[in-house]
Amino acid sequence: MSIDAHLATLEKKHGDLEAELQTVQAQPSVHDEMIADIKRRKLRLKDQIKRLRSATQH
């Protein structure tokens, strides 16, 4: 898989997690642990995307 394709996959996953987070937060009986987990996964993806982008710009 090329770096561009990998970046696109990571960005899609990040967007999917954002949509999931919005859905979970809209529910009245939201579990804080679930929200925290989604946010952690989003942050990990964001960090991976940032590292890949910086590695390809050198």
PDB file of all heavy atoms in Angstrom, residues 17-53:
ATOM      1  N   LEU A  17     -14.679   7.835  12.962  1.00  0.00           N
ATOM      2  CA  LEU A  17     -14.700   7.961  14.420  1.00  0.00           C
ATOM      3  C   LEU A  17     -15.370   9.268  14.847  1.00  0.00           C
ATOM      4  O   LEU A  17     -16.082   9.302  15.854  1.00  0.00           O
ATOM      5  CB  LEU A  17     -13.282   7.887  14.993  1.00  0.00           C
ATOM      6  CG  LEU A  17     -12.673   6.487  15.044  1.00  0.00           C
ATOM      7  CD1 LEU A  17     -11.212   6.573  15.468  1.00  0.00           C
ATOM      8  CD2 LEU A  17     -13.442   5.594  15.987  1.00  0.00           C
ATOM      9  N   GLU A  18     -15.153  10.320  14.085  1.00  0.00           N
ATOM     10  CA  GLU A  18     -15.804  11.600  14.399  1.00  0.00           C
ATOM     11  C   GLU A  18     -17.326  11.448  14.303  1.00  0.00           C
ATOM     12  O   GLU A  18     -18.061  11.918  15.175  1.00  0.00           O
ATOM     13  CB  GLU A  18     -15.323  12.694  13.450  1.00  0.00           C
ATOM     14  CG  GLU A  18     -15.986  14.036  13.671  1.00  0.00           C
ATOM     15  CD  GLU A  18     -15.753  14.624  15.055  1.00  0.00           C
ATOM     16  OE1 GLU A  18     -14.700  14.356  15.675  1.00  0.00           O
ATOM     17  OE2 GLU A  18     -16.637  15.369  15.533  1.00  0.00           O
ATOM     18  N   ALA A  19     -17.786  10.777  13.265  1.00  0.00           N
ATOM     19  CA  ALA A  19     -19.224  10.543  13.110  1.00  0.00           C
ATOM     20  C   ALA A  19     -19.762   9.682  14.257  1.00  0.00           C
ATOM     21  O   ALA A  19     -20.840   9.960  14.796  1.00  0.00           O
ATOM     22  CB  ALA A  19     -19.505   9.870  11.765  1.00  0.00           C
ATOM     23  N   GLU A  20     -19.002   8.664  14.631  1.00  0.00           N
ATOM     24  CA  GLU A  20     -19.410   7.808  15.749  1.00  0.00           C
ATOM     25  C   GLU A  20     -19.476   8.613  17.048  1.00  0.00           C
ATOM     26  O   GLU A  20     -20.413   8.465  17.841  1.00  0.00           O
ATOM     27  CB  GLU A  20     -18.427   6.644  15.902  1.00  0.00           C
ATOM     28  CG  GLU A  20     -18.781   5.674  16.999  1.00  0.00           C
ATOM     29  CD  GLU A  20     -17.784   4.533  17.141  1.00  0.00           C
ATOM     30  OE1 GLU A  20     -16.908   4.364  16.278  1.00  0.00           O
ATOM     31  OE2 GLU A  20     -17.897   3.821  18.147  1.00  0.00           O
ATOM     32  N   LEU A  21     -18.497   9.478  17.257  1.00  0.00           N
ATOM     33  CA  LEU A  21     -18.470  10.310  18.450  1.00  0.00           C
ATOM     34  C   LEU A  21     -19.690  11.225  18.502  1.00  0.00           C
ATOM     35  O   LEU A  21     -20.329  11.349  19.550  1.00  0.00           O
ATOM     36  CB  LEU A  21     -17.180  11.142  18.478  1.00  0.00           C
ATOM     37  CG  LEU A  21     -16.984  12.073  19.657  1.00  0.00           C
ATOM     38  CD1 LEU A  21     -16.927  11.292  20.962  1.00  0.00           C
ATOM     39  CD2 LEU A  21     -15.719  12.883  19.477  1.00  0.00           C
ATOM     40  N   GLN A  22     -20.032  11.831  17.385  1.00  0.00           N
ATOM     41  CA  GLN A  22     -21.200  12.710  17.341  1.00  0.00           C
ATOM     42  C   GLN A  22     -22.478  11.932  17.673  1.00  0.00           C
ATOM     43  O   GLN A  22     -23.333  12.420  18.409  1.00  0.00           O
ATOM     44  CB  GLN A  22     -21.324  13.354  15.951  1.00  0.00           C
ATOM     45  CG  GLN A  22     -20.196  14.299  15.620  1.00  0.00           C
ATOM     46  CD  GLN A  22     -20.095  15.464  16.575  1.00  0.00           C
ATOM     47  OE1 GLN A  22     -21.089  16.039  16.987  1.00  0.00           O
ATOM     48  NE2 GLN A  22     -18.873  15.811  16.944  1.00  0.00           N
ATOM     49  N   THR A  23     -22.588  10.723  17.156  1.00  0.00           N
ATOM     50  CA  THR A  23     -23.756   9.889  17.416  1.00  0.00           C
ATOM     51  C   THR A  23     -23.847   9.523  18.891  1.00  0.00           C
ATOM     52  O   THR A  23     -24.910   9.625  19.508  1.00  0.00           O
ATOM     53  CB  THR A  23     -23.699   8.604  16.564  1.00  0.00           C
ATOM     54  OG1 THR A  23     -23.660   8.975  15.184  1.00  0.00           O
ATOM     55  CG2 THR A  23     -24.895   7.716  16.827  1.00  0.00           C
ATOM     56  N   VAL A  24     -22.719   9.109  19.464  1.00  0.00           N
ATOM     57  CA  VAL A  24     -22.701   8.697  20.870  1.00  0.00           C
ATOM     58  C   VAL A  24     -23.016   9.875  21.778  1.00  0.00           C
ATOM     59  O   VAL A  24     -23.764   9.740  22.748  1.00  0.00           O
ATOM     60  CB  VAL A  24     -21.331   8.064  21.217  1.00  0.00           C
ATOM     61  CG1 VAL A  24     -21.175   7.879  22.707  1.00  0.00           C
ATOM     62  CG2 VAL A  24     -21.165   6.738  20.506  1.00  0.00           C
ATOM     63  N   GLN A  25     -22.460  11.041  21.467  1.00  0.00           N
ATOM     64  CA  GLN A  25     -22.694  12.210  22.316  1.00  0.00           C
ATOM     65  C   GLN A  25     -24.137  12.694  22.238  1.00  0.00           C
ATOM     66  O   GLN A  25     -24.620  13.335  23.168  1.00  0.00           O
ATOM     67  CB  GLN A  25     -21.744  13.337  21.939  1.00  0.00           C
ATOM     68  CG  GLN A  25     -20.322  13.066  22.374  1.00  0.00           C
ATOM     69  CD  GLN A  25     -19.370  14.185  21.989  1.00  0.00           C
ATOM     70  OE1 GLN A  25     -19.534  14.835  20.963  1.00  0.00           O
ATOM     71  NE2 GLN A  25     -18.361  14.389  22.817  1.00  0.00           N
ATOM     72  N   ALA A  26     -24.836  12.373  21.172  1.00  0.00           N
ATOM     73  CA  ALA A  26     -26.222  12.808  21.015  1.00  0.00           C
ATOM     74  C   ALA A  26     -27.192  11.926  21.800  1.00  0.00           C
ATOM     75  O   ALA A  26     -28.344  12.298  21.997  1.00  0.00           O
ATOM     76  CB  ALA A  26     -26.599  12.808  19.535  1.00  0.00           C
ATOM     77  N   GLN A  27     -26.723  10.776  22.247  1.00  0.00           N
ATOM     78  CA  GLN A  27     -27.589   9.865  22.997  1.00  0.00           C
ATOM     79  C   GLN A  27     -27.678  10.317  24.451  1.00  0.00           C
ATOM     80  O   GLN A  27     -26.675  10.720  25.040  1.00  0.00           O
ATOM     81  CB  GLN A  27     -27.039   8.445  22.929  1.00  0.00           C
ATOM     82  CG  GLN A  27     -27.019   7.871  21.539  1.00  0.00           C
ATOM     83  CD  GLN A  27     -26.331   6.524  21.480  1.00  0.00           C
ATOM     84  OE1 GLN A  27     -25.817   6.033  22.472  1.00  0.00           O
ATOM     85  NE2 GLN A  27     -26.309   5.934  20.298  1.00  0.00           N
ATOM     86  N   PRO A  28     -28.878  10.226  25.025  1.00  0.00           N
ATOM     87  CA  PRO A  28     -29.043  10.696  26.407  1.00  0.00           C
ATOM     88  C   PRO A  28     -28.293   9.850  27.443  1.00  0.00           C
ATOM     89  O   PRO A  28     -27.834  10.362  28.450  1.00  0.00           O
ATOM     90  CB  PRO A  28     -30.548  10.621  26.645  1.00  0.00           C
ATOM     91  CG  PRO A  28     -31.071   9.733  25.590  1.00  0.00           C
ATOM     92  CD  PRO A  28     -30.109   9.781  24.432  1.00  0.00           C
ATOM     93  N   SER A  29     -28.140   8.567  27.192  1.00  0.00           N
ATOM     94  CA  SER A  29     -27.468   7.712  28.168  1.00  0.00           C
ATOM     95  C   SER A  29     -26.053   7.380  27.692  1.00  0.00           C
ATOM     96  O   SER A  29     -25.717   6.236  27.425  1.00  0.00           O
ATOM     97  CB  SER A  29     -28.267   6.425  28.376  1.00  0.00           C
ATOM     98  OG  SER A  29     -28.357   5.722  27.154  1.00  0.00           O
ATOM     99  N   VAL A  30     -25.255   8.401  27.599  1.00  0.00           N
ATOM    100  CA  VAL A  30     -23.900   8.249  27.076  1.00  0.00           C
ATOM    101  C   VAL A  30     -22.954   7.817  28.196  1.00  0.00           C
ATOM    102  O   VAL A  30     -23.022   8.314  29.314  1.00  0.00           O
ATOM    103  CB  VAL A  30     -23.418   9.588  26.471  1.00  0.00           C
ATOM    104  CG1 VAL A  30     -21.980   9.484  26.037  1.00  0.00           C
ATOM    105  CG2 VAL A  30     -24.296   9.993  25.322  1.00  0.00           C
ATOM    106  N   HIS A  31     -22.088   6.899  27.855  1.00  0.00           N
ATOM    107  CA  HIS A  31     -21.075   6.449  28.796  1.00  0.00           C
ATOM    108  C   HIS A  31     -19.800   7.254  28.552  1.00  0.00           C
ATOM    109  O   HIS A  31     -19.284   7.292  27.440  1.00  0.00           O
ATOM    110  CB  HIS A  31     -20.786   4.957  28.612  1.00  0.00           C
ATOM    111  CG  HIS A  31     -21.962   4.090  28.903  1.00  0.00           C
ATOM    112  ND1 HIS A  31     -22.331   3.767  30.187  1.00  0.00           N
ATOM    113  CD2 HIS A  31     -22.859   3.494  28.088  1.00  0.00           C
ATOM    114  CE1 HIS A  31     -23.402   3.005  30.149  1.00  0.00           C
ATOM    115  NE2 HIS A  31     -23.746   2.821  28.896  1.00  0.00           N
ATOM    116  N   ASP A  32     -19.300   7.890  29.594  1.00  0.00           N
ATOM    117  CA  ASP A  32     -18.093   8.701  29.469  1.00  0.00           C
ATOM    118  C   ASP A  32     -16.907   7.875  29.003  1.00  0.00           C
ATOM    119  O   ASP A  32     -16.062   8.370  28.258  1.00  0.00           O
ATOM    120  CB  ASP A  32     -17.759   9.374  30.797  1.00  0.00           C
ATOM    121  CG  ASP A  32     -18.764  10.458  31.160  1.00  0.00           C
ATOM    122  OD1 ASP A  32     -19.426  10.994  30.241  1.00  0.00           O
ATOM    123  OD2 ASP A  32     -18.878  10.761  32.357  1.00  0.00           O
ATOM    124  N   GLU A  33     -16.864   6.615  29.412  1.00  0.00           N
ATOM    125  CA  GLU A  33     -15.764   5.740  29.009  1.00  0.00           C
ATOM    126  C   GLU A  33     -15.770   5.516  27.502  1.00  0.00           C
ATOM    127  O   GLU A  33     -14.714   5.481  26.869  1.00  0.00           O
ATOM    128  CB  GLU A  33     -15.852   4.399  29.725  1.00  0.00           C
ATOM    129  CG  GLU A  33     -15.659   4.503  31.222  1.00  0.00           C
ATOM    130  CD  GLU A  33     -16.032   3.218  31.944  1.00  0.00           C
ATOM    131  OE1 GLU A  33     -16.277   2.193  31.295  1.00  0.00           O
ATOM    132  OE2 GLU A  33     -16.064   3.263  33.186  1.00  0.00           O
ATOM    133  N   MET A  34     -16.939   5.374  26.918  1.00  0.00           N
ATOM    134  CA  MET A  34     -17.050   5.158  25.487  1.00  0.00           C
ATOM    135  C   MET A  34     -16.577   6.395  24.728  1.00  0.00           C
ATOM    136  O   MET A  34     -15.844   6.282  23.744  1.00  0.00           O
ATOM    137  CB  MET A  34     -18.497   4.828  25.097  1.00  0.00           C
ATOM    138  CG  MET A  34     -18.679   4.499  23.629  1.00  0.00           C
ATOM    139  SD  MET A  34     -20.401   4.171  23.192  1.00  0.00           S
ATOM    140  CE  MET A  34     -20.613   2.586  23.967  1.00  0.00           C
ATOM    141  N   ILE A  35     -16.977   7.559  25.194  1.00  0.00           N
ATOM    142  CA  ILE A  35     -16.550   8.801  24.559  1.00  0.00           C
ATOM    143  C   ILE A  35     -15.032   8.950  24.654  1.00  0.00           C
ATOM    144  O   ILE A  35     -14.367   9.287  23.674  1.00  0.00           O
ATOM    145  CB  ILE A  35     -17.261  10.017  25.193  1.00  0.00           C
ATOM    146  CG1 ILE A  35     -18.750   9.980  24.839  1.00  0.00           C
ATOM    147  CG2 ILE A  35     -16.627  11.321  24.743  1.00  0.00           C
ATOM    148  CD1 ILE A  35     -19.578  11.018  25.545  1.00  0.00           C
ATOM    149  N   ALA A  36     -14.485   8.674  25.816  1.00  0.00           N
ATOM    150  CA  ALA A  36     -13.042   8.780  26.008  1.00  0.00           C
ATOM    151  C   ALA A  36     -12.295   7.809  25.093  1.00  0.00           C
ATOM    152  O   ALA A  36     -11.252   8.160  24.525  1.00  0.00           O
ATOM    153  CB  ALA A  36     -12.678   8.527  27.465  1.00  0.00           C
ATOM    154  N   ASP A  37     -12.820   6.611  24.926  1.00  0.00           N
ATOM    155  CA  ASP A  37     -12.191   5.621  24.057  1.00  0.00           C
ATOM    156  C   ASP A  37     -12.174   6.095  22.605  1.00  0.00           C
ATOM    157  O   ASP A  37     -11.150   5.996  21.925  1.00  0.00           O
ATOM    158  CB  ASP A  37     -12.914   4.279  24.166  1.00  0.00           C
ATOM    159  CG  ASP A  37     -12.332   3.235  23.243  1.00  0.00           C
ATOM    160  OD1 ASP A  37     -11.117   2.956  23.367  1.00  0.00           O
ATOM    161  OD2 ASP A  37     -13.075   2.701  22.396  1.00  0.00           O
ATOM    162  N   ILE A  38     -13.291   6.608  22.138  1.00  0.00           N
ATOM    163  CA  ILE A  38     -13.366   7.111  20.764  1.00  0.00           C
ATOM    164  C   ILE A  38     -12.383   8.262  20.573  1.00  0.00           C
ATOM    165  O   ILE A  38     -11.666   8.318  19.568  1.00  0.00           O
ATOM    166  CB  ILE A  38     -14.807   7.549  20.410  1.00  0.00           C
ATOM    167  CG1 ILE A  38     -15.738   6.339  20.410  1.00  0.00           C
ATOM    168  CG2 ILE A  38     -14.842   8.252  19.055  1.00  0.00           C
ATOM    169  CD1 ILE A  38     -17.212   6.690  20.334  1.00  0.00           C
ATOM    170  N   LYS A  39     -12.324   9.166  21.537  1.00  0.00           N
ATOM    171  CA  LYS A  39     -11.410  10.308  21.433  1.00  0.00           C
ATOM    172  C   LYS A  39      -9.947   9.850  21.421  1.00  0.00           C
ATOM    173  O   LYS A  39      -9.132  10.391  20.679  1.00  0.00           O
ATOM    174  CB  LYS A  39     -11.648  11.293  22.576  1.00  0.00           C
ATOM    175  CG  LYS A  39     -12.937  12.069  22.404  1.00  0.00           C
ATOM    176  CD  LYS A  39     -13.116  13.073  23.519  1.00  0.00           C
ATOM    177  CE  LYS A  39     -14.359  13.908  23.312  1.00  0.00           C
ATOM    178  NZ  LYS A  39     -14.523  14.934  24.351  1.00  0.00           N
ATOM    179  N   ARG A  40      -9.626   8.834  22.212  1.00  0.00           N
ATOM    180  CA  ARG A  40      -8.252   8.293  22.214  1.00  0.00           C
ATOM    181  C   ARG A  40      -7.904   7.683  20.865  1.00  0.00           C
ATOM    182  O   ARG A  40      -6.815   7.896  20.336  1.00  0.00           O
ATOM    183  CB  ARG A  40      -8.092   7.240  23.313  1.00  0.00           C
ATOM    184  CG  ARG A  40      -7.733   7.802  24.664  1.00  0.00           C
ATOM    185  CD  ARG A  40      -7.299   6.707  25.627  1.00  0.00           C
ATOM    186  NE  ARG A  40      -8.358   5.747  25.920  1.00  0.00           N
ATOM    187  CZ  ARG A  40      -9.283   5.902  26.854  1.00  0.00           C
ATOM    188  NH1 ARG A  40      -9.296   6.980  27.609  1.00  0.00           N
ATOM    189  NH2 ARG A  40     -10.206   4.986  27.051  1.00  0.00           N
ATOM    190  N   ARG A  41      -8.843   6.937  20.299  1.00  0.00           N
ATOM    191  CA  ARG A  41      -8.594   6.321  18.986  1.00  0.00           C
ATOM    192  C   ARG A  41      -8.433   7.386  17.912  1.00  0.00           C
ATOM    193  O   ARG A  41      -7.574   7.274  17.039  1.00  0.00           O
ATOM    194  CB  ARG A  41      -9.724   5.361  18.621  1.00  0.00           C
ATOM    195  CG  ARG A  41      -9.722   4.110  19.498  1.00  0.00           C
ATOM    196  CD  ARG A  41     -10.734   3.091  19.064  1.00  0.00           C
ATOM    197  NE  ARG A  41     -12.082   3.636  19.149  1.00  0.00           N
ATOM    198  CZ  ARG A  41     -13.163   3.050  18.627  1.00  0.00           C
ATOM    199  NH1 ARG A  41     -13.061   1.916  18.003  1.00  0.00           N
ATOM    200  NH2 ARG A  41     -14.354   3.610  18.748  1.00  0.00           N
ATOM    201  N   LYS A  42      -9.254   8.438  17.979  1.00  0.00           N
ATOM    202  CA  LYS A  42      -9.125   9.542  17.023  1.00  0.00           C
ATOM    203  C   LYS A  42      -7.761  10.207  17.146  1.00  0.00           C
ATOM    204  O   LYS A  42      -7.118  10.510  16.142  1.00  0.00           O
ATOM    205  CB  LYS A  42     -10.210  10.608  17.273  1.00  0.00           C
ATOM    206  CG  LYS A  42     -11.533  10.312  16.653  1.00  0.00           C
ATOM    207  CD  LYS A  42     -12.502  11.453  16.880  1.00  0.00           C
ATOM    208  CE  LYS A  42     -11.968  12.712  16.246  1.00  0.00           C
ATOM    209  NZ  LYS A  42     -12.792  13.885  16.473  1.00  0.00           N
ATOM    210  N   LEU A  43      -7.316  10.431  18.374  1.00  0.00           N
ATOM    211  CA  LEU A  43      -6.025  11.074  18.604  1.00  0.00           C
ATOM    212  C   LEU A  43      -4.880  10.211  18.071  1.00  0.00           C
ATOM    213  O   LEU A  43      -3.945  10.718  17.449  1.00  0.00           O
ATOM    214  CB  LEU A  43      -5.830  11.369  20.084  1.00  0.00           C
ATOM    215  CG  LEU A  43      -4.578  12.154  20.455  1.00  0.00           C
ATOM    216  CD1 LEU A  43      -4.527  13.480  19.723  1.00  0.00           C
ATOM    217  CD2 LEU A  43      -4.526  12.373  21.947  1.00  0.00           C
ATOM    218  N   ARG A  44      -4.953   8.899  18.295  1.00  0.00           N
ATOM    219  CA  ARG A  44      -3.922   7.997  17.762  1.00  0.00           C
ATOM    220  C   ARG A  44      -3.863   8.072  16.247  1.00  0.00           C
ATOM    221  O   ARG A  44      -2.780   8.133  15.656  1.00  0.00           O
ATOM    222  CB  ARG A  44      -4.179   6.559  18.200  1.00  0.00           C
ATOM    223  CG  ARG A  44      -3.564   6.240  19.534  1.00  0.00           C
ATOM    224  CD  ARG A  44      -3.671   4.756  19.845  1.00  0.00           C
ATOM    225  NE  ARG A  44      -4.527   4.658  21.018  1.00  0.00           N
ATOM    226  CZ  ARG A  44      -5.593   3.888  21.154  1.00  0.00           C
ATOM    227  NH1 ARG A  44      -5.957   3.084  20.205  1.00  0.00           N
ATOM    228  NH2 ARG A  44      -6.302   3.906  22.242  1.00  0.00           N
ATOM    229  N   LEU A  45      -5.043   8.078  15.598  1.00  0.00           N
ATOM    230  CA  LEU A  45      -5.078   8.181  14.138  1.00  0.00           C
ATOM    231  C   LEU A  45      -4.510   9.521  13.675  1.00  0.00           C
ATOM    232  O   LEU A  45      -3.746   9.581  12.718  1.00  0.00           O
ATOM    233  CB  LEU A  45      -6.502   8.008  13.617  1.00  0.00           C
ATOM    234  CG  LEU A  45      -7.043   6.587  13.630  1.00  0.00           C
ATOM    235  CD1 LEU A  45      -8.522   6.592  13.283  1.00  0.00           C
ATOM    236  CD2 LEU A  45      -6.275   5.708  12.666  1.00  0.00           C
ATOM    237  N   LYS A  46      -4.877  10.580  14.367  1.00  0.00           N
ATOM    238  CA  LYS A  46      -4.380  11.903  14.008  1.00  0.00           C
ATOM    239  C   LYS A  46      -2.856  11.959  14.118  1.00  0.00           C
ATOM    240  O   LYS A  46      -2.188  12.507  13.247  1.00  0.00           O
ATOM    241  CB  LYS A  46      -5.011  12.961  14.915  1.00  0.00           C
ATOM    242  CG  LYS A  46      -4.672  14.376  14.555  1.00  0.00           C
ATOM    243  CD  LYS A  46      -5.401  15.346  15.472  1.00  0.00           C
ATOM    244  CE  LYS A  46      -5.007  16.765  15.168  1.00  0.00           C
ATOM    245  NZ  LYS A  46      -5.688  17.705  16.056  1.00  0.00           N
ATOM    246  N   ASP A  47      -2.315  11.360  15.167  1.00  0.00           N
ATOM    247  CA  ASP A  47      -0.857  11.306  15.337  1.00  0.00           C
ATOM    248  C   ASP A  47      -0.198  10.506  14.215  1.00  0.00           C
ATOM    249  O   ASP A  47       0.841  10.897  13.696  1.00  0.00           O
ATOM    250  CB  ASP A  47      -0.483  10.710  16.687  1.00  0.00           C
ATOM    251  CG  ASP A  47      -0.792  11.632  17.854  1.00  0.00           C
ATOM    252  OD1 ASP A  47      -1.001  12.847  17.631  1.00  0.00           O
ATOM    253  OD2 ASP A  47      -0.832  11.138  18.998  1.00  0.00           O
ATOM    254  N   GLN A  48      -0.804   9.376  13.838  1.00  0.00           N
ATOM    255  CA  GLN A  48      -0.262   8.572  12.742  1.00  0.00           C
ATOM    256  C   GLN A  48      -0.270   9.355  11.441  1.00  0.00           C
ATOM    257  O   GLN A  48       0.700   9.325  10.680  1.00  0.00           O
ATOM    258  CB  GLN A  48      -1.068   7.282  12.560  1.00  0.00           C
ATOM    259  CG  GLN A  48      -0.857   6.255  13.626  1.00  0.00           C
ATOM    260  CD  GLN A  48      -1.725   5.027  13.399  1.00  0.00           C
ATOM    261  OE1 GLN A  48      -2.636   5.017  12.571  1.00  0.00           O
ATOM    262  NE2 GLN A  48      -1.453   3.977  14.163  1.00  0.00           N
ATOM    263  N   ILE A  49      -1.361  10.062  11.183  1.00  0.00           N
ATOM    264  CA  ILE A  49      -1.473  10.865   9.966  1.00  0.00           C
ATOM    265  C   ILE A  49      -0.396  11.941   9.956  1.00  0.00           C
ATOM    266  O   ILE A  49       0.296  12.146   8.949  1.00  0.00           O
ATOM    267  CB  ILE A  49      -2.884  11.493   9.859  1.00  0.00           C
ATOM    268  CG1 ILE A  49      -3.928  10.407   9.596  1.00  0.00           C
ATOM    269  CG2 ILE A  49      -2.931  12.561   8.762  1.00  0.00           C
ATOM    270  CD1 ILE A  49      -5.372  10.861   9.788  1.00  0.00           C
ATOM    271  N   LYS A  50      -0.224  12.608  11.076  1.00  0.00           N
ATOM    272  CA  LYS A  50       0.782  13.675  11.172  1.00  0.00           C
ATOM    273  C   LYS A  50       2.188  13.127  10.939  1.00  0.00           C
ATOM    274  O   LYS A  50       2.982  13.728  10.211  1.00  0.00           O
ATOM    275  CB  LYS A  50       0.689  14.341  12.549  1.00  0.00           C
ATOM    276  CG  LYS A  50       1.558  15.544  12.709  1.00  0.00           C
ATOM    277  CD  LYS A  50       1.337  16.188  14.069  1.00  0.00           C
ATOM    278  CE  LYS A  50       2.251  17.378  14.260  1.00  0.00           C
ATOM    279  NZ  LYS A  50       2.053  18.007  15.554  1.00  0.00           N
ATOM    280  N   ARG A  51       2.502  11.972  11.537  1.00  0.00           N
ATOM    281  CA  ARG A  51       3.830  11.366  11.360  1.00  0.00           C
ATOM    282  C   ARG A  51       4.066  10.982   9.910  1.00  0.00           C
ATOM    283  O   ARG A  51       5.137  11.222   9.361  1.00  0.00           O
ATOM    284  CB  ARG A  51       3.986  10.144  12.256  1.00  0.00           C
ATOM    285  CG  ARG A  51       4.361  10.467  13.678  1.00  0.00           C
ATOM    286  CD  ARG A  51       4.835   9.239  14.440  1.00  0.00           C
ATOM    287  NE  ARG A  51       3.900   8.118  14.401  1.00  0.00           N
ATOM    288  CZ  ARG A  51       2.916   7.919  15.266  1.00  0.00           C
ATOM    289  NH1 ARG A  51       2.711   8.763  16.251  1.00  0.00           N
ATOM    290  NH2 ARG A  51       2.117   6.880  15.165  1.00  0.00           N
ATOM    291  N   LEU A  52       3.070  10.378   9.267  1.00  0.00           N
ATOM    292  CA  LEU A  52       3.224   9.981   7.871  1.00  0.00           C
ATOM    293  C   LEU A  52       3.409  11.194   6.966  1.00  0.00           C
ATOM    294  O   LEU A  52       4.233  11.180   6.058  1.00  0.00           O
ATOM    295  CB  LEU A  52       2.019   9.171   7.398  1.00  0.00           C
ATOM    296  CG  LEU A  52       2.006   7.703   7.791  1.00  0.00           C
ATOM    297  CD1 LEU A  52       0.686   7.069   7.388  1.00  0.00           C
ATOM    298  CD2 LEU A  52       3.159   6.970   7.142  1.00  0.00           C
ATOM    299  N   ARG A  53       2.631  12.224   7.213  1.00  0.00           N
ATOM    300  CA  ARG A  53       2.765  13.447   6.390  1.00  0.00           C
ATOM    301  C   ARG A  53       4.136  14.077   6.564  1.00  0.00           C
ATOM    302  O   ARG A  53       4.737  14.523   5.591  1.00  0.00           O
ATOM    303  CB  ARG A  53       1.671  14.438   6.747  1.00  0.00           C
ATOM    304  CG  ARG A  53       0.358  14.065   6.159  1.00  0.00           C
ATOM    305  CD  ARG A  53      -0.639  15.185   6.250  1.00  0.00           C
ATOM    306  NE  ARG A  53      -1.879  14.792   5.611  1.00  0.00           N
ATOM    307  CZ  ARG A  53      -3.069  15.113   6.053  1.00  0.00           C
ATOM    308  NH1 ARG A  53      -3.201  15.831   7.139  1.00  0.00           N
ATOM    309  NH2 ARG A  53      -4.144  14.712   5.410  1.00  0.00           N
TER     310      ARG A  53
END
